[in-house]
Amino acid sequence: MDPQNTEPKVLLSRAKTFRLHTGNLVNRSRMKKKCPCSTSEELRDCIQATMTDWVSMKKAASPDFPDVLDCSLPEATDAITPEEREELKVSVKLFLCEAGLSAIRDAVDLACQTLAVSQLDSVIIAPPPPLEADQSLAHLQPAWEQLEALVRSQKIAAIGTSDLDKDLLEQLYNWAQVKPSSNQVNLASCCVMPPDLTAFAKEFDIQLLTHSDPKELMSAETFLEAMRDGAQDQSIADWRLEWVLRYSVIVKSRGIFKSKGYLVSAKRVEP
């Protein structure tokens, strides 16, 4: 870190919430050169690179120390114009690292604000891992109710799930007021779609998608390590990852990515 530019370090030491936006990874030359082996590795590289660029930016001295610290690069953001909105599909996967329900609305609101849209076309939820070995409907219900409220307020058009087997997907479908439109299946643990899941999804018009995201997207130590490396400040230790939102914007008629990136939120650990 430039010794003459200590403001980022001071801001980090004073803020209570930390928000990071990687910018559009389609256009960021630094990230395009990377070939990550996994989603976790890609996210770690993105956090580190964004922190490095943000810290290196010259900042005018300010007497204000915001509670919510925005770590983003304005020139790296690719907002959607009203003229092109109809031609684009905005899809999101939200990874909750802890059980705070306000995080869902906060993440959706930030995604809409960042991309300059009033509604996300689809949101897939990945709740925090359950305390017990097996996931249950009770574990999913609070998050799903938050998503349903966002559908009713027209912030989201369609909502989906991740890694549900046939029995749990059926339980959710029968209970939910807003039905799941999709369910992601991790092919690392399931090379072929289970026949019972395929049959149920077909009967109730639920799209089955595949993914390769790990159950734990990023460990607490890996997150702190990425922040430390990016800020060149080994004293960073009191931040807890709250949620990670991955978005993709696809041109419908051509099936190509216009933009993709991550939004990350962390909370300061209270002593």
Side-chain angles (χ1 to χ4, degrees):
M1 182 182 297
D2 184 346
Q4 301 302 316
N5 187 23
T6 59
E7 186 179 0
K9 185 175 180 178
V10 175
L11 290 172
L12 277 167
S13 71
R14 301 288 187 90
K16 296 179 180 178
T17 301
F18 173 79
R19 297 277 168 81
L20 179 143
H21 178 215
T22 62
N24 182 3
L25 302 181
V26 173
N27 295 334
R28 286 193 68 184
S29 58
R30 178 197 290 244
M31 298 310 304
K32 286 168 72 174
K33 296 176 184 177
K34 298 275 187 178
C35 295
C37 297
S38 67
T39 307
S40 298
E41 183 179 326
E42 178 182 60
L43 178 58
R44 189 205 178 286
D45 290 345
C46 287
I47 292 172
Q48 180 179 339
T50 303
M51 286 284 290
T52 298
D53 292 344
W54 178 74
V55 166
S56 67
M57 290 183 348
K58 295 295 182 183
K59 295 176 170 61
S62 170
D64 299 323
F65 296 100
D67 285 345
V68 179
L69 182 58
D70 176 27
C71 175
S72 61
L73 311 172
E75 69 278 7
T77 299
D78 196 356
I80 295 171
T81 65
E83 294 75 19
E84 63 185 348
R85 179 65 182 94
E86 287 298 316
E87 300 300 318
L88 303 174
K89 180 178 180 180
V90 183
S91 300
V92 157
K93 185 170 183 179
L94 177 58
F95 302 86
L96 296 178
C97 303
E98 53 184 45
L101 294 180
S102 63
I104 297 175
R105 179 173 291 278
D106 290 345
V108 169
D109 285 346
L110 186 60
C112 288
Q113 176 186 332
T114 301
L115 298 173
V117 297
S118 60
Q119 184 185 63
L120 304 176
D121 292 304
S122 70
V123 174
I124 288 174
I125 191 78
L131 297 177
E132 298 82 15
D134 297 323
Q135 201 174 43
S136 67
L137 180 61
H139 179 69
L140 293 171
Q141 284 171 326
W144 196 258
E145 287 174 334
Q146 293 295 309
L147 290 175
E148 289 181 325
L150 289 167
V151 171
R152 286 191 287 270
S153 65
Q154 299 187 328
K155 296 288 284 188
I156 305 173
I159 50 180
T161 57
S162 181
D163 299 315
L164 302 193
D165 61 19
K166 183 265 181 184
D167 290 342
L168 191 50
L169 182 60
E170 183 175 10
Q171 290 176 43
L172 176 64
Y173 186 91
N174 291 335
W175 167 80
Q177 294 183 26
V178 179
K179 308 301 183 183
S181 64
S182 62
N183 179 46
Q184 281 193 335
V185 178
N186 191 330
L187 288 185
S189 59
C190 175
C191 296
V192 179
M193 290 285 186
D196 61 342
L197 178 61
T198 302
F200 179 81
K202 182 177 181 180
E203 181 180 357
F204 292 96
D205 196 25
I206 300 172
Q207 186 179 16
L208 292 182
L209 308 169
T210 61
H211 76 96
S212 57
D213 300 318
K215 287 187 177 181
E216 182 183 43
L217 184 63
M218 175 168 280
S219 69
E221 185 50 45
T222 300
F223 172 64
L224 290 174
E225 181 183 273
M227 287 188 69
R228 292 180 191 126
D229 290 349
Q232 298 179 29
D233 181 2
Q234 295 305 307
S235 68
I236 293 176
D238 51 357
W239 289 98
R240 181 183 69 247
L241 190 59
E242 185 183 20
W243 53 260
V244 174
L245 182 148
R246 182 178 65 212
Y247 66 84
S248 62
V249 180
I250 297 175
V251 181
K252 295 177 184 177
S253 60
R254 300 171 63 192
I256 62 171
F257 285 101
K258 179 181 187 289
S259 65
K260 59 181 179 179
Y262 291 92
L263 294 167
V264 177
S265 179
K267 293 284 189 184
R268 179 177 295 285
V269 179
E270 298 295 336

